[in-house]
């Protein structure tokens, strides 16, 4: 865009808005690159909010922006957008240029996640330091509260919010979400600002002082209660301009991660928000009680010191009691949303596992006396303190509300990625077979500090699996995936040990070391240090559970009696699904073997479309084979995880084999008698879902009005129905009189004009105990002539007649005579059989 340097900023913004509707994207980006290089920050400051909105779209979803979530590599604009938004591209250069001048941009509080918005409207400062010292309060009223963000925070907020803004997908658009420009940009930003190798690259733009200005210092709040001052100097209190450059740049990594976590994961129900409104207070009380036994030499500290006063900070305005019904937001994450969260989880594991071995094994005391880079400290705590709680709530919500279909696979894989951090290490180990895969002992502390994510979510998944159609290969695969992960050697033992630590009574901890912990040089023993380690492990597990579920939670053991019964129920359903899959496969093979060319004309099995119907259209033989394979392996893994007796399992399978025979599948599903008749039980619903039993549904209407079959000609069906209807209306009384005669002519008329069973019993439904009888009147039916089978047989007959020198008329007379003789013989034979 050729604009003079002395042009006013207002004209610059007006020209850019005009160009956005007339120029192609490539030319607009070239103009923006030139403007970013030539114009000073004072003038770029006014176009920045509009530019961010035009790229990512508006927060209310009205403006679509560049549609990053729908832009794929096949598009001609893909490379243009990626180059412009690259971490070293023009857009980020503009961000750093404005960052050096400390400009602020406002975001309405209404666009914040529900729990954060509820906190602010209650008058309580949110627990996330990202929002501290950023609230802009009006002189009066509450609805216009805004967040004042610096350019980098403003850019990342809009980028993260773009994912949860509803998108208008074009009809027929089937592109994968993992190939979109947005997904690739998320991966690029994570690799750039949270590098697994090296440090965060310095900002490409420097102001007159030689460095980009970091955001203003934040109050030290800490994350959780473990070593609350660990990140205090490097992350929460930003260093001065002359400080270590690494410490100067770490704030970008922290800001990016907190924006992603707060926008993508901080959405949960109001009930959960009220339950976890102040988890730090409860943890501080627990820490105080445990500290009395573990560190008696320390001076007395009031319960909750350092936590309560930093969490419940009242905001400087009076807030009336909020209307809770208005604060609840409908949270329905999309599959794309979950896939991006999984990408975040996988990268954070790789980022955390890239911690140097000497930093990973150093003790806290040694750590305090040695120089450790801020990035290494950030890696040490990034998963537990920034992601754990909100990801747990996010997954719990998805597990409870996601539909019972195959799209749940995205949520499942996100969970399995989080509980397997050992998959994302840089260690080059020999690949182990699935049955010999072992979890290294060094991950025991991770399992214990994430106990609920293993046990509670496993229980929720178990409830889902029981209600899922496991005959579907995709659903069977999900059960197999979970069982395979938890069957890894050493993992079940780690989970059991974590549960034992959580169930450790508190009074036992107080009596273990009444004299305090003394080192051997002070007259103590090495046993006391071991007891201190055990107490610390107990504290970590208890604090984790209380932080996620509250101190009044009722914990259910994963290896307890109740869950073991649920596992046995799942095993029964798996066995039933295996049998159903086998029956469907055998039936399909039998039909395929009996099929021939004439089956297209209706000579094959007509029950093919009505027997063993499945919920998925792709239940082919290959899918059924995979279903059987997945369920077999899942049974083996569940037996390994819960140490099930193989003899009992064999007995259970044999009982199911004997009870689920071919005759049993014709029985009605399990029902109980209610006020209005039969009602399905939970067992009956599972039997229907897994195809074990079904209701006997038959067509009970007029046979002439049945839906047109695939082996019938639709035009002929309708034409012959009109002809037969006219004949029946014209000669109906004569046909009734003929068929009512008791002599031979009456019986011959009934053979041609009535069904073999002229009187049928009609069962209204399983809900009704009444049966009705309906007598069908004699009538002419020509629908059989519309069948392709009949037409082919007639064509063959006429061809044989032509070969034998019979004309069409002679062939027709022969056909009519043959039909009459066939009816005459069937009437005589039927009369003799009835006499005998």
């Amino acid at each position: 865009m050729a604009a003079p340097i002395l042009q006013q900023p207002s004209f610059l913004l007006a020209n850019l808005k005009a160009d956005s509707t007339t120029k192609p994207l490539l030319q607009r980006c070239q103009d923006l690159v030139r403007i970013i290089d030539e114009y000073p920050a004072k003038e770029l400051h006014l176009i920045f909010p509009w530019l961010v909105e035009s790229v990512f779209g508006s927060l209310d979803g009205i403006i679509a922006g560049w549609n990053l979530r729908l832009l794929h590599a096949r598009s001609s604009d893909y490379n243009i957008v990626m180059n412009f938004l690259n971490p070293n591209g023009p857009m980020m250069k503009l961000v750093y240029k404005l960052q050096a001048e400390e400009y602020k941009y406002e975001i309405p509080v209404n666009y914040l996640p529900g729990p954060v918005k509820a906190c602010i409207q209650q008058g309580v400062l949110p627990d996330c330091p990202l929002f501290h010292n950023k609230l802009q309060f009006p002189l009066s009223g509450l609805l216009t509260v805004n967040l004042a963000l610096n350019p980098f925070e403003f850019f990342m907020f809009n980028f993260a919010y773009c994912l949860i803004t509803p998108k208008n997908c074009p009809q027929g658009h089937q592109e994968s979400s993992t190939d979109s420009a947005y997904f690739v940009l998320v991966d690029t930003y994570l690799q750039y600002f949270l590098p697994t190798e090296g440090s965060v690259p310095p900002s490409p733009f420097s102001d007159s002082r030689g460095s980009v200005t970091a955001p203003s210092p934040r109050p030290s709040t800490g994350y959780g209660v473990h070593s609350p001052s660990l990140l205090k100097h490097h992350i929460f209190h930003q260093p001065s301009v002359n400080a270590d450059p690494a410490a100067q740049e770490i704030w970008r990594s922290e800001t990016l991660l907190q924006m992603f976590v707060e926008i993508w994961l901080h959405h949960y129900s109001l009930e959960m928000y009220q339950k976890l409104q102040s988890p730090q207070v409860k943890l501080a009380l627990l820490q105080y009680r445990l500290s009395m036994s573990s560190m008696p030499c320390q001076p007395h500290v009031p319960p909750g010191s350092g936590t309560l006063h930093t969490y419940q900070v009242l905001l400087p305005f009076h807030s009336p009691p909020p209307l809770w019904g208005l604060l609840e937001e409908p949270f329905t994450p999309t599959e794309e949303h979950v896939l991006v969260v999984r990408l975040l989880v996988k990268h954070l594991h790789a980022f955390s596992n890239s911690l140097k071995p000497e930093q990973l094994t150093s003790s806290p005391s040694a750590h305090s006396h040695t120089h450790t880079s801020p990035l290494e400290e950030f890696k040490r705590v990034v998963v537990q303190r920034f992601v754990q709680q909100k990801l747990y709530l996010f997954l719990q919500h998805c597990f409870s509300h996601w539909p019972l279909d195959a799209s749940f696979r995205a949520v499942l894989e996100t969970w399995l990625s989080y509980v397997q951090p050992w998959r994302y290490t840089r260690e080059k180990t020999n690949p182990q077979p699935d049955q010999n895969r072992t979890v290294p002992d060094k991950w025991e502390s991770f399992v214990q500090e994430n106990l609920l994510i293993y046990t509670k979510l496993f229980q929720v998944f178990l409830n889902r699996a029981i209600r899922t159609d496991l005959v579907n290969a995709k659903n069977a695969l999900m059960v197999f995936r979970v069982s395979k992960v938890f069957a890894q050697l050493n993992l079940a033992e780690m989970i059991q040990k974590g549960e034992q630590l959580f169930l450790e009574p508190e009074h036992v901890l107080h009596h273990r070391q009444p004299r305090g912990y003394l080192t051997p040089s002070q007259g103590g023993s090495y046993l006391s240090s071991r007891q201190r380690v055990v107490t610390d492990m107990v504290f970590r597990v208890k604090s984790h559970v209380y932080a996620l579920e509250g101190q009044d939670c009722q914990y259910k053991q994963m290896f307890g009696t109740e869950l073991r019964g649920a596992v046995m129920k799942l095993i029964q359903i798996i066995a039933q699904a295996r049998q159903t899959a086998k029956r469907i496969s055998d039936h399909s093979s039998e039909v395929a073997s009996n099929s021939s060319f004439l089956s297209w004309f209706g000579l094959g099995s007509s029950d093919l479309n009505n027997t063993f119907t499945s919920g998925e259209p792709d239940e082919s033989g290959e899918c059924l084979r995979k279903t059987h394979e997945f369920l077999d392996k899942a049974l083996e893994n569940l037996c390994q995880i819960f140490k099930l007796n193989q003899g009992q399992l064999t007995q259970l399978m044999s009982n199911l084999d004997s009870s689920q025979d071919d005759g049993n599948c014709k029985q009605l599903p399990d029902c109980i008698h209610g006020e209005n008749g039969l009602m399905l039980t939970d067992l009956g619903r599972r039997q229907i879902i897994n195809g074990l039993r079904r209701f006997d549904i038959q067509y009970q209407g007029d046979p002439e009005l049945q839906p047109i079959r695939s082996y019938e000609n639709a035009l002929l069906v309708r034409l012959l129905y009109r002809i037969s209807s006219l004949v029946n209306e014209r000669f109906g009384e004569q046909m009734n009189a003929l068929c009512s005669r008791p002599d031979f002519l009456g019986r011959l008329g009934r053979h041609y004009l009535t069904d073999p069973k002229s009187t049928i019993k009609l069962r209204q439904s399983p809900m009704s105990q009444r049966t009705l009888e309906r007598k069908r009147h004699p009538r002419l039916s020509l629908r059989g002539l519309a069948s392709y089978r009949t037409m082919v047989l007639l064509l063959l007959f006429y061809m044989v007649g032509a070969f034998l020198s019979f004309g069409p008329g002679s062939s027709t007379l022969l056909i009519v005579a043959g039909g009459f003789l066939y009816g005459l013989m069937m009437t005589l034979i039927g009369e003799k059989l009835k006499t005998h």
Side-chain angles (χ1 to χ4, degrees), residues 76-313:
S76 58
D77 295 336
Y78 179 83
N79 290 329
I80 301 173
V81 171
M82 298 302 294
N83 292 332
F84 187 78
L85 298 178
N86 191 275
N88 291 317
M91 188 70 178
M92 198 59 68
K93 182 178 180 180
L94 172 62
V95 171
Y96 294 139
K97 198 170 184 179
L98 296 175
Q99 186 76 31
E101 302 298 331
E102 300 187 5
Y103 287 111
K104 299 294 182 181
Y105 303 91
E106 293 186 347
I107 293 289
V109 170
N110 292 335
Y111 292 110
L112 295 179
V116 178
K117 182 170 60 176
C119 260
I120 295 175
Q121 296 190 3
Q122 271 192 308
V124 178
L125 189 66
D127 58 339
C128 179
L130 185 65
F131 304 112
H132 293 181
N133 298 335
K134 291 179 171 54
L135 292 175
Q136 300 292 321
F137 305 108
L139 297 178
S140 62
L142 179 64
L143 299 179
T144 57
V145 178
N146 295 322
L147 279 178
L149 304 179
N150 63 48
F152 186 81
E153 293 169 339
F154 182 79
F155 176 84
M156 285 302 169
F157 182 93
N158 282 270
F159 177 72
Y161 205 89
C162 178
L163 178 63
I164 63 176
T165 304
K167 66 177 180 180
N168 296 322
C169 186
Q171 189 174 4
H173 185 84
Q174 299 293 336
E175 295 283 353
S176 172
S177 300
T178 58
D179 297 333
S180 66
Y182 186 85
F183 192 90
V184 176
L185 278 174
V186 171
D187 189 30
T188 304
Y189 288 159
L190 288 174
Q191 294 180 8
Y192 185 87
F193 293 105
L194 300 173
T196 56
E197 296 181 0
S199 59
V200 182
S203 59
F205 180 82
S206 300
D207 62 0
S208 57
R209 295 170 294 178
S211 176
V212 172
T213 305
S216 57
R218 305 170 182 166
S220 175
T221 61
Y223 284 87
V225 297
H226 306 297
S227 304
S229 61
L230 182 62
L231 300 178
K232 177 173 59 178
H233 300 293
H234 296 304
I235 295 181
F236 301 125
H237 290 288
Q238 301 298 338
S240 61
V241 176
N242 298 324
D244 184 8
Q248 172 72 14
E249 295 298 331
I250 192 65
W251 67 268
R252 291 181 297 162
S253 304
E254 179 204 6
T255 300
L256 174 134
L257 177 59
Q258 288 188 337
M259 279 296 180
F260 286 177
V261 170
E262 290 297 318
I263 301 302
W264 295 344
L265 302 180
H266 203 167
H267 300 262
Y268 42 82
S269 64
L270 176 61
E271 178 184 1
M272 186 61 66
Y273 162 70
Q274 292 172 326
K275 184 177 181 180
L276 300 177
Q277 189 174 1
S278 182
Q280 288 87 343
V281 177
K282 299 178 181 180
L283 290 182
L285 297 175
L286 174 64
Q287 182 186 29
Y288 171 69
R289 289 201 302 268
L290 292 178
S291 65
M292 292 299 97
S293 60
S294 61
M295 292 174 289
C297 299
Q298 293 185 357
H300 176 73
V301 181
S305 177
T307 304
L308 180 61
H309 71 281
T310 57
Y311 181 77
Q312 290 187 335
V313 179

Side-chain angles (χ1 to χ4, degrees), residues 74 165 294 424 796:
R74 289 198 294 266
T165 304
S294 61
Y424 308 101
L796 291 175

Side-chain angles (χ1 to χ4, degrees), residues 703-723:
E704 295 296 307
L705 298 178
Q706 292 185 61
I708 298 175
R709 301 293 195 268
S710 60
Y711 53 84
E712 294 178 324
N713 185 283
L715 180 62
L716 280 179
V717 169
R718 297 185 177 96
L719 178 61
L720 293 174
Y721 175 74
R722 291 185 179 180
I723 295 175

Side-chain angles (χ1 to χ4, degrees), residues 561-833:
T561 305
E562 182 179 352
L563 190 65
R564 190 181 184 89
V567 172
M568 295 302 296
K569 182 184 296 185
L570 176 61
I571 289 176
Q572 292 180 2
I573 295 175
I574 290 176
Q576 293 172 352
R578 288 171 68 251
Q579 293 176 354
T580 304
K582 186 176 184 302
R583 275 206 311 274
I584 298 174
S585 180
D586 294 343
H587 179 78
S588 301
S589 300
E590 180 182 355
V591 171
S593 62
N594 295 333
S595 63
S596 62
F597 172 76
L598 293 179
S599 63
W600 183 73
F601 302 104
L603 295 178
S605 173
S606 61
D607 190 48
L608 181 60
N609 296 328
N610 299 327
T611 307
F612 298 111
T613 56
S614 174
E616 293 290 334
D618 58 346
E619 291 295 344
S620 61
E622 181 66 19
C623 290
L624 293 172
R625 186 190 63 80
K626 290 183 178 180
T627 296
H628 210 276
E629 179 183 349
F630 292 147
L631 295 180
D632 281 343
K633 293 180 179 179
L635 282 176
E636 295 177 5
N637 294 332
L638 289 174
C639 292
Q640 178 182 343
I641 297 169
F642 293 93
K643 305 294 188 296
L644 299 179
N645 190 337
Q646 191 65 30
Q648 295 178 353
L649 184 63
T650 304
Q651 181 65 28
L652 174 64
M653 302 291 289
S654 62
N655 293 339
L656 288 172
D657 290 337
S658 61
S659 62
Q660 300 293 336
D661 53 7
D662 292 339
N664 195 24
C665 68
K666 297 180 181 179
Q667 297 179 3
L668 290 178
D670 188 66
C671 301
I672 59 174
H673 288 278
E675 296 180 356
N676 298 321
L678 296 179
M679 297 179 61
L680 276 175
T681 63
D682 291 337
L683 175 60
R685 293 187 182 93
R686 291 197 296 268
Q687 289 171 341
I688 293 177
I689 290 175
N690 293 317
L692 299 175
R693 297 184 184 180
R694 58 177 182 170
F695 291 106
D696 187 16
I697 302 176
Q698 298 178 351
Y699 182 79
Q700 298 177 350
D702 188 350
E704 295 296 307
L705 298 178
Q706 292 185 61
I708 298 175
R709 301 293 195 268
S710 60
Y711 53 84
E712 294 178 324
N713 185 283
L715 180 62
L716 280 179
V717 169
R718 297 185 177 96
L719 178 61
L720 293 174
Y721 175 74
R722 291 185 179 180
I723 295 175
S724 60
S725 298
L726 291 175
V727 173
N728 291 330
E729 291 178 3
R730 179 69 178 81
F731 303 101
E733 295 181 359
Q734 290 83 349
M735 287 189 289
N736 284 332
L738 176 62
C739 293
S740 61
R741 295 177 55 172
D743 55 5
F744 178 78
L745 288 178
R747 291 192 298 272
L748 185 62
R750 286 192 293 271
H751 172 77
Y752 286 109
L753 300 177
T754 61
D755 293 334
K757 297 180 180 179
S758 58
T759 302
I760 60 173
K761 293 185 177 181
L762 302 179
R763 180 76 176 271
Q764 292 297 314
S765 73
M767 294 288 292
S768 175
Q769 301 298 326
R770 297 176 298 172
T771 58
L772 301 178
E773 291 188 358
R774 185 174 65 189
K775 188 175 181 179
R776 292 172 180 166
H777 298 286
R779 60 182 174 178
L780 176 67
S781 177
L782 302 177
R783 181 161 178 168
L785 298 177
S787 171
Y788 291 117
R789 176 181 59 183
T790 304
M791 288 189 287
V792 168
L793 291 176
L794 291 175
L795 179 62
L796 291 175
F797 191 87
Y798 278 107
M799 290 175 63
V800 172
F803 181 75
L804 297 176
S805 301
F806 287 102
S810 301
S811 299
T812 303
L813 289 176
L814 287 175
I815 293 173
V816 173
F820 177 78
L821 291 175
Y822 174 78
L824 187 63
M825 292 179 58
M826 293 301 296
T827 303
L828 292 173
I829 294 174
E831 183 179 0
K832 290 182 179 180
L833 291 176

Side-chain angles (χ1 to χ4, degrees), residues 374-392:
L375 188 62
E376 297 299 314
E377 292 188 9
F378 191 45
K379 292 178 181 180
R380 187 193 303 273
V381 299
V382 63
V383 175
Q384 297 299 111
R385 303 197 185 167
F386 287 80
V387 181
Q388 183 199 65
Q389 184 189 56
K390 294 181 176 64
L391 180 65
Y392 170 74

